[in-house]
Structure formats: structure tokens, C-alpha cells
Amino acid sequence: MMAVSDDALPDPLSDREHRVLSEAGLAVFAGRLILDAQPPIDDAVLGAVAERCAGPLPDPLIALWRTAFGGRLDYDLRADLDGEDVPLSLVELFYPDSDGYHDLWGWIDHERELAEEHQPDWSGGLVHLPIGGFEYLERVYVRTAAGLDHGAVVCWRQGLPPGWELSTGDRVGRLADDLRALFGRLVLDQDPWERQGDAGAEMRDAVDELGNSGDPDARSAAAKLRRLVQATVLDWRSALDEGTLAGQRRLRRLALERAAADDDVALLARLVAMGCDPAEEIHSGLSPLEVALRHRAFEVIAWLLEQGVPAENSLRVGAHAVDVDLARTLLDRGASVDACGTSSEIEVRRRPDGGRLQP
């Protein structure tokens, strides 16, 4: 079978540009860039994987593997697990002989061992095929069993161990109806050419390296890839200008996070005026106040405290950023104290002569 082309580029790649991308270890599937892209799967390996599954391999998975049989992704992905909106790491696309925690065969064997141990009547074929994830912590699966959910994408996320303050059990959830729909959910919170975020820097560097080549085909391919990557950046500013931001959870949280991190009281006040909650959890369980403390955004901190936002977790997160007066204010507002760290973090902000260091 020939490789399936699915670039979803506004300007399709030429044959020469495809060659350049292949030589650079890059590929495009369903409008998303794959780094360290491996050569397409061959029929023998495809058949060997299919033999270990409960039903036929879904067409979108075959299309992905015909484009790149493994690689790395550098996008932001969030999932609704147990009613909570949480980040999910889909960093590696598994393939044989990778240098990850397990390669594809290792993860298949892992799942088969679990099935044999916990399912006495197991048929011998994997209902859910592990296709990617992050080390041993998070995995993404494609459903292979025949039926209405054939091809659906689900995830598993390891919980924190007992004794951790924020401990949770393992979580599972449905991500998308099929693999192409999942790739459509891979986005960027920030434009990596404008601001460093949690994701995107590796793609930016790969595209820039291609663009610095002396080969004109490499430069033209890089320009197309840059537009492709930037098209996935979430645009909360347009939603703000259109007045629709408050009703869009992910965009709303991005805007609140940006205002808190940048010490932008004017933006924060505008967001609250249009219906955004200044106490909402916006990033990894942190509120705008806690984000502001992490970034020493003191004007935003003062403004948020004037609005009466809860401060219970503020010193656990931001003890490094406060002086004694601010610590006292936060304590008066109900901040919990971690005896292992908070007191020493606050005391270190005193000068040797007994005065206070300024923020």
C-alpha cells in the first residue's frame, strides 16, 4: 500500500517538499505536525499488530501509521476526566524499538499481561490498543473491537500515590470518536514564536531549522509548516473582542491566566466585568491569585484580594513571593500554612538588619 497523504495544509506540499520533510524527520497527519517521524509501517508489521487485537485496526490508525509509524507530538491536550478538565500528555506515538519507557510491542505485552491477570474470560485480543502517551504515567488507546465504538479513542491517567496532598486515583475517559478527531483536539495555548508555553517550542525549533536551510524547497516547506502550527493556537483575544469569551471555558481560563501572569489588572477587570470568575481554577488546579503569586504579579494580587477571592491555598503555592505583611494579609484571609515550607520562605525575605526585602 502507498502512504496516505493527509497534510490538511492551505497550500499542499510539493513532492520535493515532502522529500525535505521526510529527510528532516517530520510528517503531517490530520493537520498536525509529527516530530521524529518514523518511516511508514509495512504490511507485515501491520498484520502482526492486528493479530493481537480484538477486531480490525481502525482506518484512521492505519492512515496515521502509513504516514508515520511513530514519532513525537508537541501540542497541548486537555481531557474531561471525572468531571474535571485536566491536561493530558500525548507526547510519544509508540513504535517498535523506540527508546521510550516501553516500545509499541512492550506496551502491547503490558496490556496483554494485565488482561490475562484481571479478565479470566479474556479472548486473547486487545479491545483497546495502546498507541501513545507519556512514559508510564498516561496512555492513549484506540478501540479495536467491532461495534459502534470501533475506532474510539480513550485515555488512562495514573493517579498520585497515597500521602500526596492532591492525591487522586487512576482516571480513564473518552477523548474522541476516532483518531483524526483526536488530532483535531491537539492545539497550542500560546504561539511558540511569540511566547514560550508548555508546548510548541520543539515544533518551532524544527520549523526554524528547516527555514534556515539553503534549500529553497526546505524554506518553502518551513513557511507552510509555520502557518500550519500557528493555525492551532487558541485565540482568546478574538473571543474577548466578540464578547463570547465568558462562555468558552478553555479560552476564558487562558485569558485569566494571561492576565494574572502578566500583572495586567486592566485585562483582569475587563474579564470579570464580562462574567469571568476571578476565583476559577485556571491552570493545573491554580486560581488567578495563585498564578499571580507564582509570577510575583503584585498589582493583580492586591486587586484580587480587594475582590475577596479565596486565599486558602495561596501560601502553599506562593510563599516564595510574599513579604511578611502580605503573608499576614493572606493568613487573615484564611490561607493554610505548610509548616515545612511556608515559615522559612517568608522569613528569608527579611533583611539581616531586621527590615523587609521589597518584592
Side-chain angles (χ1 to χ4, degrees):
M1 293 178 63
M2 297 293 291
V4 177
S5 175
D6 189 9
D7 342 48
L9 285 159
D11 302 312
L13 293 166
S14 68
D15 290 341
R16 293 175 63 86
E17 289 170 335
H18 270 294
R19 174 186 55 78
V20 167
L21 261 61
S22 179
E23 292 173 351
L26 303 174
V28 178
F29 176 77
R32 300 300 185 266
L33 182 61
I34 300 173
L35 306 172
D36 291 341
Q38 302 300 301
I41 195 171
D42 60 39
D43 290 342
V45 177
L46 191 65
V49 175
E51 288 176 357
R52 291 163 169 79
C53 296
L57 297 178
D59 288 341
L61 177 61
I62 296 174
L64 169 63
W65 284 352
R66 294 293 190 190
T67 301
F69 187 30
R72 290 185 301 107
L73 298 171
D74 188 26
Y75 292 92
D76 294 300
L77 175 63
R78 301 191 71 87
D80 192 340
L81 302 180
D82 299 330
E84 293 186 28
D85 180 47
V86 299
L88 188 70
S89 296
L90 178 53
V91 176
E92 182 186 359
L93 295 173
F94 301 149
Y95 59 94
D97 300 322
S98 74
D99 60 357
Y101 187 82
H102 282 315
D103 70 353
L104 176 65
W105 298 123
W107 283 119
I108 288 175
D109 290 342
H110 171 79
E111 296 296 332
R112 290 169 62 88
E113 290 169 4
L114 290 176
E116 289 175 350
E117 180 180 354
H118 297 287
Q119 301 177 31
D121 58 348
W122 182 50
S123 67
L126 290 178
V127 172
H128 293 99
L129 175 66
I131 59 118
F134 175 60
E135 296 180 351
Y136 61 89
L137 298 171
E138 296 167 333
R139 285 192 293 284
V140 171
Y141 301 80
V142 170
R143 183 176 174 86
T144 66
L148 293 176
D149 288 332
H150 180 252
V153 183
V154 299
C155 68
W156 171 88
R157 190 179 198 230
Q158 186 181 71
L160 294 172
W164 284 57
E165 179 184 340
L166 302 176
S167 64
T168 61
D170 293 358
R171 296 178 175 181
V172 297
R174 185 184 178 106
L175 292 178
D177 291 340
D178 60 38
L179 200 56
R180 282 195 173 90
L182 172 67
F183 269 60
R185 293 187 57 184
L186 300 176
V187 296
L188 291 173
D189 289 345
Q190 307 288 344
D191 185 333
W193 281 274
E194 294 182 359
R195 183 190 293 268
Q196 180 67 52
D198 292 336
E202 291 185 60
M203 289 192 292
R204 178 200 62 210
D205 293 346
V207 171
D208 286 351
E209 182 178 354
L210 204 63
N212 292 332
S213 169
D215 184 345
D217 292 315
R219 294 197 301 272
S220 62
K224 294 177 182 179
L225 290 182
R226 176 166 174 163
R227 290 196 295 273
L228 184 77
V229 171
Q230 289 180 314
T232 68
V233 177
L234 295 175
D235 184 10
W236 59 265
R237 291 177 179 82
S238 293
L240 175 64
D241 293 339
E242 294 166 0
T244 61
L245 182 70
Q248 301 183 63
R249 180 175 65 179
R250 188 161 185 181
L251 297 184
R252 177 181 72 237
R253 291 180 173 182
L254 278 176
L256 286 166
E257 180 185 359
R258 192 76 277 130
D262 290 349
D263 208 10
D264 191 337
V265 172
L267 173 58
L268 189 56
R270 182 181 177 189
L271 295 173
V272 172
M274 69 186 312
C276 298
D277 181 359
E280 180 178 11
E281 291 186 359
I282 56 173
H283 180 75
S284 299
L286 301 181
S287 70
L289 175 61
E290 292 150 12
V291 170
L293 282 163
R294 278 195 167 185
H295 290 270
R296 292 184 168 89
F298 292 106
E299 292 187 17
V300 160
I301 292 169
W303 189 88
L304 286 169
L305 291 175
E306 289 175 1
Q307 312 310 306
V309 300
E312 180 180 358
N313 201 41
S314 57
L315 286 177
R316 289 175 177 156
V317 171
H320 67 284
V322 305
D323 59 22
V324 174
D325 289 341
L326 180 54
R328 185 178 294 112
T329 299
L330 294 172
L331 288 169
D332 291 342
R333 299 293 183 92
S336 299
V337 177
D338 183 343
C340 295
T342 299
S343 59
S344 61
E345 289 276 11
I346 296 171
E347 288 303 318
V348 81
R349 298 187 62 77
R350 289 185 178 274
R351 293 198 307 261
D353 63 1
R356 287 191 292 108
L357 292 174
Q358 295 301 311

